[in-house]
Amino acid sequence: MTRLLVCIDGSAYADNLCANAAWVAKQINAEIDLLHVLRRPSDYQAPTDHTGLIGLDARSDLLEELTRVDEERGRLDQKKGKIILEHGAKMLKEAGVETINLIHRRGSLVETIQEFEDSVDMVFMGKRGEHADMASAFLGANLEKVARAIHKPLFIVSSVVRPIKRFLIAYDGKDSVRKAIDYITKHPLLKKGLECHLLAVERAKGDIETSGAERKLRTAGFTVILKTEQNHHADQVISSYVVENKIDLLITGAYSHSRMHSLLLGSTTASLIKSCKVPLLLFR
């Protein structure tokens, strides 16, 4: 049975995660593992320790009080996680998903997803977690770590949910985007009647060969709209194309360069995730 891993928290993306995951589940007849991961106690910001400045009795009382606060915080986190999972399951059920498995864990989100990766076919995350500033230009702290760590398709949910009528493949000729085309042509995720846009942004004319990808998509039954441009800023070209052509889903390869390369020169993938307002389906 095809299985999706949907990572949900208390962020503003939670309902959109359920809406997108339900759509995919119905397209490919999948069941859903709905995962909520509680932060580890060590992930909370450590309070400044002033106990060395006060007397022994007062320090003992303070430590006991801090212990009670930690225990209460853990209890409330558990309760909150249970409510988040129940809310997500209710949305998925109402959207027509038949099988939903609730998973509640505490620990590292990245390590937990890696633990389940082999048993699922696609992973879902929001652009930012519940502790991130929605207006921030930065992505969630875990998103890039997860995108670099896993090898299953990663569906990144945005603040926009709408029916998917047309999708764009940002094609650079590398293995990861060829993997994306393999997936699209072999799975029923995207129906053949949808508009399929294939965009190649070349640094020099002719440096990206698109004929093989176009032929494979046409053979699978898609009507392909091919566009090739020359520009050194692929992320800007792709982002503009998404807006101008009212694209509903962007599909691309992810993080083909090392983390050090990305730190020094920037990452096209990260820039696309930040700038595009539609969902992204990433392949590595």
Side-chain angles (χ1 to χ4, degrees), residues 6-228:
V6 180
C7 308
I8 191 172
D9 61 9
S11 74
Y13 296 101
D15 287 1
N16 291 358
L17 269 165
C18 294
N20 283 136
W23 176 77
V24 173
K26 286 190 284 188
Q27 294 292 104
I28 62 177
N29 190 29
E31 61 182 57
I32 289 181
D33 288 347
L34 190 60
L35 170 69
H36 178 67
V37 178
L38 298 169
R39 290 189 293 178
R40 297 167 294 198
S42 59
D43 291 338
Y44 293 101
Q45 186 176 5
T48 304
D49 185 0
H50 297 297
T51 54
L53 303 177
I54 58 180
L56 181 61
D57 290 342
R59 184 166 50 195
S60 177
D61 290 344
L62 178 58
L63 290 176
E64 288 181 10
E65 182 65 21
L66 288 172
T67 300
R68 283 195 292 273
V69 169
D70 284 343
E71 290 174 350
E72 180 63 7
R73 185 166 54 194
R75 188 185 69 80
L76 291 174
D77 276 353
Q78 285 280 356
K79 185 176 182 181
K80 176 184 168 187
K82 185 171 181 287
I83 292 171
I84 289 171
L85 285 171
E86 289 175 346
H87 172 74
K90 182 172 181 288
M91 281 198 67
L92 291 168
K93 187 69 75 177
E94 289 175 351
V97 180
E98 295 182 357
T99 304
I100 306 157
N101 309 303
L102 303 187
I103 305 170
H104 206 184
R105 292 291 185 90
R106 183 184 291 280
S108 159
L109 176 62
V110 179
E111 291 173 3
T112 305
I113 291 174
Q114 286 181 300
E115 176 188 339
F116 286 95
E117 183 182 0
D118 287 344
S119 63
V120 301
D121 299 89
M122 188 179 294
V123 178
F124 285 71
M125 288 185 69
K127 274 190 180 182
R128 298 176 182 85
E130 64 179 276
H131 303 289
D133 179 359
M134 290 290 290
S136 169
F138 298 100
L139 299 171
N142 285 309
L143 183 56
E144 182 176 346
K145 294 177 187 174
V146 171
R148 288 184 180 277
I150 67 173
H151 292 84
K152 293 293 174 65
L154 176 62
F155 196 113
I156 300 176
V157 172
S158 72
S159 57
V160 174
V161 173
R162 62 188 185 217
I164 294 176
K165 299 177 181 176
R166 54 190 69 83
F167 64 95
L168 168 65
I169 302 170
Y171 190 77
D172 61 6
K174 295 179 179 174
D175 289 344
S176 54
V177 76
R178 287 204 291 267
K179 186 176 175 183
I181 291 176
D182 280 345
Y183 184 93
I184 292 166
T185 54
K186 292 177 180 174
H187 295 79
L189 174 64
L190 297 164
K191 303 299 183 189
K192 303 303 184 287
L194 301 178
E195 282 186 26
C196 172
H197 295 245
L198 185 65
L199 173 62
V201 184
E202 302 173 326
R203 286 180 172 271
K205 187 174 177 58
D207 68 359
I208 298 178
E209 174 56 52
T210 58
S211 60
E214 182 184 12
R215 183 169 55 251
K216 191 164 191 174
L217 288 163
R218 290 192 189 281
T219 301
F222 290 105
T223 300
V224 181
I225 300 169
L226 175 63
K227 177 77 171 176
T228 303

Side-chain angles (χ1 to χ4, degrees), residues 218-257:
R218 290 192 189 281
T219 301
F222 290 105
T223 300
V224 181
I225 300 169
L226 175 63
K227 177 77 171 176
T228 303
E229 291 197 20
Q230 284 81 50
N231 196 299
H232 286 257
H233 301 285
D235 51 340
Q236 296 175 14
V237 174
I238 295 166
S239 298
S240 297
Y241 190 96
V242 166
V243 174
E244 292 165 4
N245 292 276
K246 299 180 180 177
I247 298 298
D248 302 308
L249 174 67
L250 172 61
I251 300 169
T252 185
Y255 296 111
S256 57
H257 294 296

